[in-house]
Amino acid sequence: MSKLNINVRSFSYRKGIPEDKSGNGGGFVFDCRGILNPGRIDEYKTQTGRDEGVQKFLLEKTKMPQFLASIKEILDITVEDYIKRGFTNLEINFGCTGGQHRSVFAADSVGDYLKEKYSEAEVNIHHVVQEEKNWINEI
């Protein structure tokens, strides 16, 4: 039986929701724009969701922890079912205004959670906007 391949992406709504190239269509799209945007604060404008200051801001000054906890509950139901039924692909997308702060942090957080919890799945994390910029910002 093939492993479940889970693609987790961050993206900018300005550029549109990423296409599901698996041929299965669909998956999840979570809108991070309801979370206070650190990109509107001067000290975080040039940073990303992988920078410590942005992460601390999102964890301590926004509802990001509750947002992610709710998403993890929903994803656990789906991932467990997909593995049991032998599905081979799941798309999970996180969008925000620019694809730099909130969506990057959310995609990394959820991707890491899924990697740790579901070793029987293959989890790939992509940051659409940042990769287009040849971005290197290791966690």
Side-chain angles (χ1 to χ4, degrees), residues 9-12 14-15 44-51 94 96-105 107-108 125-138:
R9 291 185 197 87
S10 69
F11 71 95
S12 166
R14 291 180 186 145
K15 296 186 175 211
Y44 304 127
K45 281 185 194 263
T46 61
Q47 296 182 15
T48 76
R50 286 191 166 171
D51 287 297
F94 291 92
C96 65
T97 306
Q100 181 175 331
H101 299 95
R102 297 164 292 180
S103 63
V104 167
F105 178 78
D108 280 342
I125 304 170
H126 299 282
H127 300 290
V128 175
V129 172
Q130 301 305 315
E131 290 168 9
E132 287 173 356
K133 298 176 183 177
N134 294 318
W135 169 66
I136 299 172
N137 184 357
E138 298 299 323

Side-chain angles (χ1 to χ4, degrees), residues 37-138:
N37 186 359
R40 302 256 183 239
I41 299 168
D42 285 340
E43 71 180 289
Y44 304 127
K45 281 185 194 263
T46 61
Q47 296 182 15
T48 76
R50 286 191 166 171
D51 287 297
E52 187 177 343
V54 171
Q55 293 172 352
K56 188 173 180 181
F57 176 86
L58 289 169
L59 290 170
E60 296 176 3
K61 301 201 177 190
T62 74
K63 294 201 174 196
M64 183 63 83
Q66 298 95 311
F67 180 74
L68 293 176
S70 297
I71 289 168
K72 289 172 187 176
E73 282 187 44
I74 292 168
L75 293 177
D76 282 341
I77 293 167
T78 299
V79 171
E80 289 166 14
D81 183 69
Y82 275 28
I83 289 171
K84 188 185 300 180
R85 293 171 55 201
F87 283 31
T88 57
N89 196 70
L90 176 60
E91 304 292 312
I92 304 168
N93 297 287
F94 291 92
C96 65
T97 306
Q100 181 175 331
H101 299 95
R102 297 164 292 180
S103 63
V104 167
F105 178 78
D108 280 342
S109 297
V110 168
D112 290 345
Y113 167 80
L114 294 171
K115 284 179 184 179
E116 186 175 314
K117 185 161 185 181
Y118 300 102
S119 60
E120 65 270 45
E122 177 72 31
V123 179
N124 301 292
I125 304 170
H126 299 282
H127 300 290
V128 175
V129 172
Q130 301 305 315
E131 290 168 9
E132 287 173 356
K133 298 176 183 177
N134 294 318
W135 169 66
I136 299 172
N137 184 357
E138 298 299 323

